Amino acid sequence: MQQPTSHPIGTEKAISIRNLYKSFGELHVLRGVDLDVFKGENVVVLGRSGTGKSVLIKIIAGLLKPDQGTVQVLNQEVPSLSEKQLRELRLKIGFSFQNSALYDSMTVRENLEFPLVRNVKNLSRSEINRAVEEVLDSVGLSQTINQMPSELSGGQRKRIGIARTLIMNPEIMLYDEPTAGLDPITCMEINELINEVRERYHTSSIIITHDLTCAKATGDRLAMLFDGQFIREGTFEEVFETDEERIKSFYDYNFVE
Amino acid sequence: MRRNSRDYVITRRIDNLLLNFYEAYMFMGRFFREAFRGPLEFQELVKQCYQIGYRSLPLISLTGFITGMVFTKQSRPSLMEFGATSWLPSLVSIAIVRALAPLITSLISAGKVGSSIGAELGSMRVTEQIDAMEVSAVNPFKFLVVTRVLASTISIPILSFYCAFVGLMGSFLDVTLNEETNIVAFFEKAFEQITFLDIGSALFKAIAYGFTIGMVGCYKGYNATQGTQGVGKAANASVVLSMFLIFLEEVAIVQITNWMR
Ligand SMILES: Nc1ncnc2c1ncn2[C@@H]1O[C@H](COP(=O)(O)OP(=O)(O)O)[C@@H](O)[C@H]1O
Ligand SMILES: [Mg+2]
């Protein structure tokens, strides 16, 4: 079992959320969420499907507006940012979507260039190529550069999705179920990649998952979302050494080694 | 999550309809704001013009040609009764330029282009590709919507005139086979009755229809929900709604041009 490599975790907060509420109509998804992510830290968010894990990170990235509460990312209050400020903040956030969200109509190269050429002005062709090759290399998929997303496997798509965010040198990474639907070996590779990304790009991350192998391999700290609140927080052992029924049953259902 | 009937201003259906109008109106407003702000995604615009315009050519050619020919064939007996078959070219050209070409082109495009825009953006929405653009600090509205609406507003007028031309060629073929004519004489006769107002209103119609098709397809696709089902719904709704709007616009524009005549 690979453990997260020892890594300096800062005391400064990258993300700080207080008293966050979000409903869709009558559906109260988040009900008073508090969460801190320190610089350099990997925080795993656990929870059954439909508990609002994706909603939480979409609020962090400014894709959804919260009903109530404060959401500070790199010392900026996300819900009250102007369009321009939000755009600048997003350059520092990498978002890996659950189903990778690669642009179907573009090749791998075009997918990777897409954010770069639109956000960094006056890059030469060779600078763009170098950046593309570098991120492809860091996810180990240099050979796929001219392929279409439909020709890639699930694990490869996930990696390209991560590479597409790395090209902007993010300070924060948000991974939405990075190992969902992948076979165990590919899962392990993705876990390693998540840890490598932190080493190489010095990112602070939130990793959403209900794969406990992934949680154990990547998380410095785990937080369990249940009924719209975090009910438990700590290292893997701290979270699961308990007799509490809802945590034990979650463990029994999700831990496959 | 059923709401109580008291929560609606009028009834649920009418409330939703009005809300829909309001949202569509805001969407259109956003188009005009974003279209004129900052640099255009030029490469994507060219690509879309190619997709929408160039790839519709075979279908438009076929339909236009057959329409011109069939219309000529069917009009001949009536004109023969008055011994006025020499009027065929003018009659056909009035029908084609004034009415048929823009309408046929836009109805075909509503089916072909509207559904493909609706499905493409719909699937990009439900697979989170639009969210992915947004979080990578790229404006998806500008990249996807502005380019597609402009491309269809530009392409459909061009296709319409092309359709008119092909239709007249179909008619010419039928006329040469049945009456004595040559191509110069045919076209001279055909354009005798066509006024500047006819061309202008045909152009105006085609621009309006092109804009409608692009706008409706993008609106339905961009706001798709409910997974893969939503993609089909977006494509389907794009076709139905844009055809409906095209008919309304047709009636309104014809009414106005007749007043101007
Ligand atoms: N944009 C939205 N509109 C309405 N309901 C939503 C929206 N996004 C999420 N939901 C609902 O919120 C709940 C939590 O969703 P989500 O965060 O995706 O769960 P998960 O923890 O599995 O990631 C679900 O019941 C979902 O249907
Ligand atoms: Mg989710």
Side-chain angles (χ1 to χ4, degrees):
Chain A
M1 185 82 269
Q2 190 210 0
Q3 284 293 327
T5 28
S6 63
H7 183 89
I9 293 174
T11 48
E12 233 181 300
K13 287 174 191 169
I15 299 173
S16 175
I17 295 172
R18 289 287 172 278
N19 203 30
L20 177 65
Y21 283 79
K22 177 72 186 173
S23 315
F24 297 101
E26 298 291 306
L27 183 68
H28 302 286
V29 180
L30 301 177
R31 297 184 246 173
V33 164
D34 297 325
L35 182 70
D36 287 324
V37 178
F38 292 94
K39 291 246 164 102
E41 190 181 29
N42 279 355
V43 173
V44 166
V45 171
L46 296 166
R48 298 215 322 246
S49 51
T51 47
K53 305 182 298 294
S54 299
V55 168
L56 174 66
I57 56 171
K58 281 183 180 166
I59 290 175
I60 293 172
L63 286 172
L64 292 173
K65 285 245 179 273
D67 299 336
Q68 213 191 99
T70 59
V71 182
Q72 298 226 320
V73 177
L74 302 171
N75 296 319
Q76 300 197 69
E77 180 60 32
V78 177
S80 55
L81 292 179
S82 71
E83 210 179 308
K84 188 163 174 288
Q85 290 168 319
L86 187 58
R87 203 165 343 117
E88 266 155 33
L89 179 64
R90 279 170 172 167
L91 291 174
K92 301 175 192 159
I93 301 178
F95 199 123
S96 158
F97 287 86
Q98 182 166 350
N99 38 34
S100 307
L102 298 184
Y103 307 132
D104 291 329
S105 59
M106 304 181 199
T107 63
V108 168
R109 179 199 289 281
E110 289 162 342
N111 262 279
L112 297 177
E113 283 174 7
F114 189 84
L116 188 67
V117 296
R118 285 175 178 74
N119 288 308
V120 188
K121 297 292 165 218
N122 304 322
L123 283 178
S124 69
R125 191 66 241 176
S126 64
E127 286 171 306
I128 296 170
N129 287 343
R130 193 151 2 97
V132 168
E133 281 154 24
E134 190 191 313
V135 285
L136 265 184
D137 181 55
S138 51
V139 299
L141 284 177
S142 305
Q143 76 283 7
T144 62
I145 189 159
N146 292 316
Q147 280 177 284
M148 296 303 284
S150 56
E151 300 167 330
L152 304 176
S153 70
Q156 288 177 323
R157 291 169 65 91
K158 203 90 303 150
R159 284 166 181 269
I160 298 296
I162 293 171
R164 187 176 61 186
T165 71
L166 293 180
I167 204 162
M168 300 308 297
N169 277 312
E171 293 175 35
I172 291 177
M173 283 296 296
L174 306 171
Y175 298 93
D176 197 347
E177 313 222 7
T179 60
L182 301 177
D183 65 85
I185 294 181
T186 312
C187 282
M188 220 168 68
E189 287 169 2
I190 296 287
N191 297 342
E192 278 165 25
L193 177 62
I194 291 173
N195 286 331
E196 275 166 31
V197 164
R198 178 184 38 187
E199 294 295 319
R200 213 157 149 170
Y201 294 85
H202 308 289
T203 50
S204 325
S205 318
I206 293 182
I207 301 142
I208 287 179
T209 189
H210 42 220
D211 167 6
L212 294 185
T213 321
C214 169
K216 199 169 178 182
T218 60
D220 301 306
R221 188 154 53 88
L222 279 59
M224 168 89 92
L225 194 60
F226 194 96
D227 277 347
Q229 285 186 322
F230 283 115
I231 53 167
R232 225 175 149 80
E233 206 181 306
T235 62
F236 190 85
E237 287 73 21
E238 284 164 2
V239 167
F240 288 105
E241 269 164 28
T242 173
D243 287 331
E244 203 187 332
E245 202 44 51
R246 37 192 195 175
I247 294 188
K248 271 173 66 182
S249 74
F250 186 88
Y251 185 87
D252 294 338
Y253 267 105
N254 293 291
F255 198 55
V256 231
E257 203 166 20
Chain B
M1 261 41 70
R2 271 191 62 87
R3 286 203 286 169
N4 199 305
S5 62
R6 252 172 289 139
D7 295 342
Y8 299 104
V9 181
I10 310 168
T11 67
R12 188 172 64 99
R13 290 185 136 231
I14 296 178
D15 270 25
N16 281 343
L17 190 72
L18 292 178
L19 263 175
N20 248 313
F21 273 127
Y22 176 73
E23 271 171 20
Y25 174 76
M26 296 297 288
F27 192 83
M28 208 153 84
R30 185 166 175 204
F31 167 80
F32 285 110
R33 250 179 295 125
E34 308 242 8
F36 298 108
R37 200 178 63 179
L40 193 65
E41 290 278 356
F42 191 71
Q43 216 182 332
E44 180 69 9
L45 176 64
V46 172
K47 189 174 148 193
Q48 289 307 320
C49 285
Y50 174 81
Q51 295 274 358
I52 294 171
Y54 187 72
R55 306 191 89 184
S56 301
L57 279 181
L59 192 56
I60 299 284
S61 305
L62 183 70
T63 332
F65 194 81
I66 289 180
T67 308
M69 202 161 85
V70 170
F71 192 80
T72 310
K73 278 187 190 303
Q74 306 236 314
S75 310
R76 183 172 290 112
S78 320
L79 287 181
M80 238 179 219
E81 272 179 41
F82 306 104
T85 42
S86 63
W87 279 67
L88 261 178
S90 341
L91 176 76
V92 173
S93 79
I94 286 181
I96 288 183
V97 173
R98 276 196 196 161
L100 292 175
L103 202 58
I104 290 175
T105 307
S106 56
L107 290 180
I108 289 177
S109 305
K112 190 170 152 40
V113 175
S115 65
S116 87
I117 293 178
E120 187 192 14
L121 295 202
S123 90
M124 292 188 76
R125 165 64 71 195
V126 303
T127 58
E128 299 179 309
Q129 291 174 52
I130 293 180
D131 286 336
M133 283 188 187
E134 197 134 353
V135 291
S136 69
V138 176
N139 183 342
F141 197 95
K142 215 170 163 60
F143 182 78
L144 298 170
V145 177
V146 171
T147 53
R148 279 159 181 74
V149 174
L150 285 180
S152 98
T153 313
I154 293 167
S155 303
I156 285 171
I158 297 173
L159 284 176
S160 290
F161 281 104
Y162 171 76
C163 178
F165 171 72
V166 176
L168 288 175
M169 291 307 286
S171 172
F172 168 71
L173 183 70
D174 193 63
V175 172
T176 29
L177 293 179
N178 291 283
E179 285 94 20
E180 290 283 291
T181 187
N182 62 52
I183 195 147
V184 179
F186 176 86
F187 274 96
E188 260 176 13
K189 199 94 177 116
F191 283 109
E192 228 165 43
Q193 300 292 320
I194 300 290
T195 61
F196 182 73
L197 183 66
D198 289 325
I199 307 256
S201 93
L203 178 65
F204 181 76
K205 275 192 213 176
I207 291 174
Y209 302 159
F211 180 78
T212 304
I213 292 168
M215 209 63 185
V216 170
C218 287
Y219 174 69
K220 288 289 173 187
Y222 203 77
N223 295 307
T225 48
Q226 300 161 353
T228 28
Q229 251 187 320
V231 178
K233 267 170 74 178
N236 196 25
S238 304
V239 179
V240 176
L241 183 59
S242 53
M243 283 192 178
F244 177 70
L245 291 175
I246 286 169
F247 286 129
L248 288 186
E249 288 164 18
E250 171 80 21
V251 173
I253 296 171
V254 167
Q255 201 51 258
I256 293 169
T257 18
N258 281 348
W259 284 331
M260 287 165 72
R261 240 178 256 285

